[in-house]
Amino acid sequence: MRVLILGGTGNVGKLVIQQLLERDIEVKAIVRSSSRLPSDSISDPKLTAIQANLLELSVSDLATHLKGCDAVICTLGHNLSYGRIPAIGIWLNARDLVTRATKMVCDAIRELQPEIPIRFVLLNTIGVENPDGSDTWVRTRLERGLVSFMSGVLPPYTDSVRSAQHISREVGKKDNKYLEWVTVRPDGFIDGPVSEYKTMESIQHSFYTPDHITKANIAHFMCELLVGQQLWEKWKFKMPLIIDAKQPEKK
């Protein structure tokens, strides 16, 4: 198996690369700077680092890098800093990074027209409702107001919503001749090792009572989706939520 990684220098992306390499899976990673990859990963002969700005590539360029790959994992997210200036990066950096990357991957796969569908695993967030309306949690008026506020002033949240909408509504199930996808929605990220975790089909709680999931567990689930046929069949074309099995007591 060979997997293309987007966002491989991020907190979750680094762990995805590490865990794939530990499974003896070949990895290609498009990164702005290969020096930001962990030294133990960059020295692994199974890893090919492609130094490039993803958004400056054409769809054909990306298709070339995708050729020979069985899957794509995208863990791209937004940098809160802009250069050395903290916090303002969410407004000054590319506001639609994940949405544009999602569209590029889908278009590149269509261009390739692989004989066997390429698996696409997209990292999203529990704050985004499933566009197909299958979430059973009913948000309160206050929560709906908060969502509307975040959509207006926080580009990373809007980007997460639009990337999920694109892959669910624009791609949906109609392109399964060439592309199959899963959008993973973790709850609050925390540090920690791989441990027992749970997956669910629907949001289970409000914004005000978040659960936790270690970054290592997020990476583990994304890797498991690629190597476990039964797990993939269970979740393909869906947006599973993931949380640690053991949660601290809520006050």
Side-chain angles (χ1 to χ4, degrees):
M1 173 176 276
R2 183 180 295 118
V3 181
L4 178 67
I5 304 294
L6 308 178
T9 58
N11 290 328
V12 176
K14 290 178 181 178
L15 298 174
V16 168
I17 290 176
Q18 180 185 41
Q19 293 186 29
L20 288 173
L21 294 175
E22 289 173 353
R23 297 166 187 256
D24 289 325
I25 294 174
E26 293 182 39
V27 177
K28 296 171 73 174
I30 298 178
V31 294
R32 286 191 178 188
S33 174
S34 58
S35 64
R36 295 180 58 195
L37 291 166
S39 57
D40 57 341
S41 294
I42 200 67
S43 61
D44 193 308
K46 297 187 295 297
L47 173 63
T48 301
I50 303 161
Q51 200 157 281
N53 183 335
L54 175 66
L55 298 186
E56 292 178 358
L57 298 177
S58 67
V59 170
S60 294
D61 290 334
L62 184 56
T64 298
H65 294 310
L66 258 172
K67 193 172 183 180
C69 292
D70 304 287
V72 183
I73 292 181
C74 178
T75 61
L76 287 168
H78 289 260
N79 194 334
L80 298 182
S81 299
Y82 184 76
R84 296 184 178 181
I85 307 174
I88 67 171
I90 59 174
W91 291 285
L92 297 183
N93 292 318
R95 297 186 173 201
D96 55 353
L97 169 64
V98 182
T99 303
R100 289 170 65 184
T102 299
K103 291 178 179 179
M104 287 179 66
V105 168
C106 296
D107 290 345
I109 291 174
R110 289 192 198 99
E111 185 171 306
L112 276 179
Q113 297 186 4
E115 292 184 7
I116 299 174
I118 291 176
R119 296 180 178 183
F120 181 22
V121 182
L122 174 65
L123 180 63
N124 206 273
T125 172
I126 198 171
V128 173
E129 291 186 70
N130 195 325
D132 70 6
S134 62
D135 283 319
T136 56
W137 178 264
V138 178
R139 284 181 168 154
T140 65
R141 181 180 299 177
L142 183 58
E143 283 182 290
R144 293 196 298 271
L146 180 58
V147 167
S148 178
F149 174 77
M150 290 193 301
S151 298
V153 302
L154 295 178
Y157 179 76
T158 303
D159 194 22
S160 295
V161 171
R162 289 176 177 170
S163 62
Q165 288 176 341
H166 178 78
I167 202 165
S168 178
R169 293 175 178 171
E170 301 301 321
V171 179
K173 301 179 182 180
K174 65 185 179 183
D175 283 343
N176 59 4
K177 182 178 180 181
Y178 304 124
L179 164 66
E180 296 177 349
W181 57 268
V182 174
T183 299
V184 178
R185 295 184 288 172
D187 215 324
F189 294 18
I190 59 172
D191 293 321
V194 174
S195 60
E196 186 179 355
Y197 54 84
K198 299 189 296 185
T199 53
M200 301 163 288
E201 292 203 27
S202 175
I203 295 172
Q204 303 289 315
H205 59 73
S206 71
F207 278 149
Y208 321 117
T209 55
D211 288 318
H212 298 292
I213 177 73
T214 66
K215 299 165 191 172
N217 279 344
I218 299 169
H220 186 271
F221 179 58
M222 298 180 92
C223 295
E224 283 292 298
L225 282 166
L226 301 188
V227 300
Q229 184 62 32
Q230 188 174 357
L231 189 66
W232 182 260
E233 291 298 328
K234 176 180 180 180
W235 290 115
K236 71 178 180 180
F237 306 126
K238 295 181 180 180
M239 294 178 60
L241 284 81
I242 177 172
I243 62 171
D244 287 339
K246 187 176 181 179
Q247 296 287 327
E249 284 191 24
K250 295 178 181 179
K251 298 179 179 180

